[in-house]
Amino acid sequence: MRSPPFSSASGSRSLPARPIPQGHGALNYRKVYLAARPSLSVRASSITESTVTLLDYGAGNVRSVRNAIRHLGFDVKYVRKPEDILNATRLVFPGVGAFASAMEVLNHNGMAGALCKYIEMDRPFLGICLGLQLLFESSEENGPVKGLGMIPGMVGRFDSSNGIRVPHIGWNAVQIVKDEEILSGIAEQHVYFVHSYRVVPSDVNKDWVSSTCNYGDSFVASISKGNIHAVQFHPEKSGEVGLSLLRNFLDPSTAPKMKKLANGKASTLAKRVIACLDVRANDKGELVVTKGDQYDVREHTDGHKVRNLGKPVDLAGQYYNDGADEVSFLNITGFRDCPLGDLPMIQVLRYSSEKVFVPLTVGGGIRDFTDENGRYYSSLEVAAEYFRSGADKVSIGSDAVYAAEAYLKTGVKTGKSSIEQISRVYGNQAVVVSVDPRRVYINSPDEVEFKALKTVTPGPHGEQYAWYQCTVNGGREGRPIGAYELSKAVEELGAGEILLNCIDCDGQGQGFDIELIKLIADAVSIPVIASSGAGTVEHFSDMFQKTSASAALAAGIFHRKEVPILSVKTHLQHEGQMDLYQMTIEPSNDLFNPETSVKTKRRAGATGRWKKKKRKKLTEEMSAVGQDQIRASHILIKQEGSHRKSSWKEKAIELIMELGGKIAIGRDLFEDLASGHSESSSGKHGGQLGCLGRSNAEALGESCILCEGGRAQ
Ligand code: 1PR
């Protein structure tokens, strides 16, 4: 086995209901969006212009940020010494890990001084996550600890006593409080946050605060002054919205003018929909995505081969395009293989992180181990390699069970368990514990020392109670600990999130185990991801209605293409469980430029008179009211009746996106597009109300223009 190259300690804090579902069938929103953007790398006229300096101070992985910058057409140069900071023309600082250790490294290698000097000179700077927090005077995290002191104020912990789950993980909307071009296109959009500490807006920092977000109470989502910008969220993990912010920073000449300050309403943290890829080597040794029934991944016929549902990198990319809020890889035989010998898995992560701009979690085999050459690796080193390869979070299965058992036995936190080691360096938001429980029926709760519940689905012999036994090694071995006890213990040890599977429900498509999810979600104050058993969109809404889980994960229905991710999100939105679905696309100035490229002209010409007319109209409207006021409904409604086929709607959306309008679409259209039956809506409304009926428009909230009789009101 070739030993992987390790560095001391590295990893990522960068982590991402993503309101950017993709069209199914003919329309690919992301493709349209990207096609409409000019190539930034071509525009950059010199090496200096196209080079971005990235401050990786050695404490973790900045691969996701690097990938996002490269995806936008820029080159990345890493800071190796303090002078590199001073020589930078644009500096991106994706802070990684805990506040104290970051400051220690920055002070030790002289980067702190160089950073302060660079910022004082008002040179282009973008801090991300901890890169925002470090600019403040101090942080409560393991402290107080002194920060760079560039902005007055202290970084404090979210207060979980008011009922919120900490860390704040997931997609939340920002409210703009200061007109900054870098924020064009992100007002009221959901972006991905993952953090336990935050800055509260106050009189002392009000000159700096450019946007806020709401979680429990209001906190600073971004700061801006002159050329100095920093964001608490992760643009590199916030899909297209995040990429547009990065683009605004990297090439301000393309940033659209912000014509209207959109204060926006406070949003709530959206429920996440996660696609999971169980990965293992098949009998030929190729790494494939597989899927089990109650953890049995072999065909029942055909020589009992490992089921092969596709290639990991392709599927991860597809689920990103389909609107997944996160993608998880579980290396399901990691428990028996040497995890770092599994270089294909590391390659899968590397390639996936180049095209997936939402958080990637990887699990399987995260534990201390000794390889065949006698070399010992700590679980921290294993995790570090995963982080370095593009993972945003690691998920620990079997090893977390052993750690919880030991902790419950002795009551002592040794600091040596994988959960403790990894959370200490990377923060607890980077550590997920994956629980694989099996339901055990009993007649009385006194039969076991573990938490049991009275079940609504009695056992095969009429048993009225059940407890959930944790297992290790892919469900092969039951352990003397319940899922309830385990979850509480791992929270205390430093886990930031629980991925709650259920062996009985896995692959059955009969719905989530609501009793189990409620039991665990009520027991802990960290986010819980409900997993196993999803078969219909109603299973998701039912689970979210009945439990306080923060996210839902599914595998089989997505792999088998029975239910697209977009349909799940549409349904959740319909049920009021997801914030308004909308897309904001930055305008492509090229469309208005007399020097428009031949390619664009041809595209414009090809769509005929209709499109030309609408472009003219939209151009006028855009200059009159600002690009964020343009809605698809204007076009959609007016075209109703004259076109019977779905393609006109798709063209309309495509056009809006090219022109940079914000799209708020009615539920009918949304569902039609999701299911690929968009002509049905014209029939439904007889060409009168179009696809944006009043009630649907109202349901979509303020940002929707109501349409009646072909007129926008
Ligand atoms: O113990 O740290 O090496 O981690 C191993 C990881 O691999 C654990 O997270 C464990 O859950 C997972 N795993 C091990 N064996 C299997 C198996 O299926 N034989 N997969 C397995 C677990 C469960 C979910 C699945 C959902 C949704 N898969 O991740 O994706 O149940 O499925 P559905 O929507 O089709 O019902 P370690």
Side-chain angles (χ1 to χ4, degrees):
M1 186 200 91
R2 218 181 81 218
S3 297
F6 286 117
S7 70
S8 52
S10 73
S12 164
R13 266 169 60 112
S14 63
L15 298 181
R18 183 167 67 113
I20 312 179
Q22 300 302 294
H24 284 258
L27 179 65
N28 181 333
Y29 294 89
R30 182 167 280 113
K31 204 168 129 218
V32 171
Y33 169 71
L34 291 173
R37 303 294 312 177
S39 161
L40 298 181
S41 53
V42 172
R43 213 185 355 262
S45 63
S46 69
I47 292 178
T48 326
E49 243 183 81
S50 69
T51 303
V52 179
T53 305
L54 197 61
L55 176 50
D56 176 3
Y57 53 90
N61 164 51
V62 294
R63 179 177 281 263
S64 311
V65 177
R66 185 203 69 179
N67 287 345
I69 293 172
R70 285 190 178 166
H71 177 79
L72 294 171
F74 289 79
D75 299 323
V76 170
K77 179 182 170 212
Y78 288 98
V79 170
R80 303 280 171 222
K81 45 191 188 317
E83 298 80 71
D84 294 339
I85 295 180
L86 297 171
N87 291 333
T89 48
R90 264 162 310 189
L91 183 67
V92 178
F93 178 28
V96 174
F99 194 101
S101 47
M103 274 313 296
E104 205 177 302
V105 179
L106 292 175
N107 283 325
H108 180 75
N109 59 21
M111 305 258 184
L115 257 177
C116 291
K117 212 164 168 185
Y118 182 88
I119 291 170
E120 272 160 9
M121 289 189 293
D122 191 32
R123 306 264 293 280
F125 173 89
L126 177 65
I128 298 174
C129 195
L130 192 63
L132 173 143
Q133 297 181 5
L134 291 166
L135 300 177
F136 285 81
E137 286 170 310
S138 63
S139 171
E140 268 181 8
E141 187 175 359
N142 301 323
V145 179
K146 247 177 115 190
L148 294 171
M150 307 303 293
I151 309 178
M154 180 169 181
V155 184
R157 195 169 200 278
F158 279 113
D159 182 6
S160 57
S161 66
N162 61 14
I164 56 167
R165 292 180 189 273
V166 178
H168 174 223
I169 299 183
W171 297 73
N172 212 334
V174 295
Q175 290 87 53
I176 311 290
V177 295
K178 195 171 169 192
D179 193 351
E180 288 288 342
E181 280 176 12
I182 190 171
L183 299 177
S184 291
I186 74 153
E188 294 173 58
Q189 295 284 331
H190 283 71
V191 287
Y192 192 78
F193 289 91
V194 54
H195 56 130
S196 300
Y197 292 81
R198 84 313 183 211
V199 177
V200 175
S202 69
D203 278 350
V204 295
N205 57 36
K206 69 169 187 265
D207 288 356
W208 284 88
V209 178
S210 53
S211 74
T212 60
C213 180
N214 189 59
Y215 191 59
D217 46 32
S218 176
F219 68 89
V220 175
S222 66
I223 61 99
S224 279
K225 201 184 240 188
N227 287 315
I228 311 304
H229 311 279
V231 291
Q232 179 60 66
F233 50 90
H234 288 267
E236 78 285 7
K237 287 288 159 185
S238 298
E240 302 302 341
V241 174
L243 292 175
S244 75
L245 179 135
L246 278 175
R247 189 185 291 110
N248 292 346
F249 171 72
L250 297 174
D251 188 350
S253 68
T254 62
K257 293 266 174 272
M258 237 187 168
K259 295 206 171 157
K260 181 173 164 280
L261 197 62
N263 280 320
K265 292 180 298 191
S267 74
T268 51
L269 186 63
K271 301 287 185 189
R272 286 170 280 154
V273 178
I274 301 174
C276 182
L277 307 170
D278 288 354
V279 176
R280 62 161 287 172
N282 66 9
D283 302 316
K284 291 186 206 147
E286 304 151 339
L287 212 58
V288 296
V289 173
T290 189
K291 182 68 209 85
D293 286 331
Q294 299 182 324
Y295 285 32
D296 177 2
V297 297
R298 291 190 175 268
E299 305 280 5
H300 293 163
T301 54
D302 196 19
H304 294 273
K305 283 187 197 145
V306 170
R307 285 192 194 114
N308 180 347
L309 293 162
K311 294 183 180 166
V313 178
D314 293 351
L315 279 180
Q318 181 191 319
Y319 293 143
Y320 168 64
N321 286 332
D322 289 351
D325 298 316
E326 287 182 36
V327 174
S328 292
F329 290 110
L330 295 178
N331 183 357
I332 66 172
T333 51
F335 68 89
R336 63 168 177 238
D337 303 330
C338 168
L340 293 176
D342 211 346
L343 290 177
M345 190 64 209
I346 287 169
Q347 293 294 3
V348 162
L349 266 177
R350 289 187 184 145
Y351 290 128
S352 302
S353 66
E354 282 170 17
K355 53 177 170 181
V356 176
F357 298 105
V358 293
L360 284 171
T361 301
V362 65
I366 296 177
R367 62 179 198 280
D368 298 348
F369 76 100
T370 303
D371 73 12
E372 58 204 22
N373 303 319
R375 171 152 183 204
Y376 167 82
Y377 296 100
S378 70
S379 54
L380 181 62
E381 286 176 297
V382 179
E385 188 58 18
Y386 279 144
F387 286 129
R388 238 190 326 269
S389 305
D392 300 293
K393 301 190 262 187
V394 292
S395 156
I396 308 172
S398 307
D399 205 51
V401 179
Y402 301 128
E405 283 179 26
Y407 174 55
L408 290 176
K409 205 162 161 189
T410 61
V412 176
K413 291 185 195 170
T414 61
K416 292 186 178 151
S417 69
S418 48
I419 302 173
E420 291 163 283
Q421 287 187 57
I422 302 167
S423 62
R424 191 166 50 242
V425 176
Y426 296 103
N428 56 1
Q429 69 283 347
V431 180
V432 184
V433 165
S434 169
V435 193
D436 299 312
R438 191 190 293 283
R439 191 177 253 242
V440 182
Y441 286 104
I442 45 179
N443 288 311
S444 155
D446 303 332
E447 281 179 36
V448 287
E449 58 186 291
F450 312 108
K451 180 91 170 174
L453 52 79
K454 193 159 196 291
T455 173
V456 292
T457 49
H461 305 292
E463 298 95 334
Q464 298 289 316
Y465 292 87
W467 70 285
Y468 290 90
Q469 181 182 25
C470 289
T471 65
V472 293
N473 302 345
R476 287 168 181 79
E477 182 191 339
R479 298 295 303 179
I481 183 170
Y484 176 89
E485 291 75 20
L486 175 112
S487 303
K488 288 178 84 73
V490 298
E491 178 178 15
E492 283 180 39
L493 288 171
E497 203 169 20
I498 287 175
L499 163 54
L500 185 58
N501 303 298
C502 174
I503 297 180
D504 310 79
C505 296
D506 174 61
Q508 303 305 294
Q510 299 298 314
F512 295 93
D513 188 329
I514 305 284
E515 290 180 324
L516 168 64
I517 298 162
K518 203 168 155 16
L519 178 75
I520 304 304
D522 292 349
V524 296
S525 63
I526 54 179
V528 171
I529 303 167
S531 162
S532 307
T536 63
V537 292
E538 288 77 15
H539 289 152
F540 290 84
S541 51
D542 186 48
M543 185 278 291
F544 282 131
Q545 260 155 23
K546 293 178 179 159
T547 76
S548 58
S550 303
L553 173 148
I557 51 168
F558 297 148
H559 302 336
R560 294 187 298 268
K561 305 194 182 345
E562 290 161 4
V563 178
I565 294 172
L566 182 55
S567 301
V568 175
K569 294 182 127 186
T570 308
H571 175 76
L572 291 176
Q573 185 195 350
H574 192 268
E575 296 292 305
Q577 289 167 343
M578 204 168 252
D579 278 359
L580 173 69
Y581 162 81
Q582 63 185 26
M583 291 173 284
T584 299
I585 304 301
E586 302 304 323
S588 161
N589 294 334
D590 277 6
L591 284 168
F592 305 105
N593 186 335
E595 304 296 331
T596 296
S597 72
V598 174
K599 200 173 155 207
T600 311
K601 267 188 193 151
R602 212 182 309 126
R603 201 170 49 228
T607 54
R609 256 189 316 156
W610 173 82
K611 194 164 174 179
K612 275 187 193 158
K613 215 169 123 190
K614 291 304 157 195
R615 174 172 287 115
K616 187 163 174 279
K617 174 88 179 120
L618 272 173
T619 309
E620 285 164 17
E621 292 192 23
M622 285 176 85
S623 48
V625 296
Q627 56 94 13
D628 62 328
Q629 295 297 297
I630 307 295
R631 316 282 178 180
S633 49
H634 284 258
I635 290 193
L636 297 175
I637 196 76
K638 289 175 187 174
Q639 288 301 311
E640 194 64 52
S642 60
H643 292 71
R644 285 169 190 270
K645 293 273 179 242
S646 62
S647 56
W648 69 264
K649 294 176 185 168
E650 293 176 352
K651 276 196 188 124
I653 290 181
E654 195 177 333
L655 175 59
I656 288 278
M657 293 173 87
E658 278 181 23
L659 292 173
K662 186 186 233 175
I663 297 177
I665 52 180
R667 186 179 304 146
D668 290 350
L669 173 63
F670 187 89
E671 287 176 356
D672 288 344
L673 286 171
S675 62
H677 298 299
S678 49
E679 57 268 52
S680 66
S681 64
S682 16
K684 212 181 290 175
H685 298 291
Q688 291 300 307
L689 294 180
C691 49
L692 249 178
R694 178 181 279 278
S695 59
N696 289 336
E698 278 169 354
L700 283 169
E702 273 173 16
S703 63
C704 184
I705 293 173
L706 301 184
C707 297
E708 258 180 4
R711 279 203 319 271
Q713 297 181 337

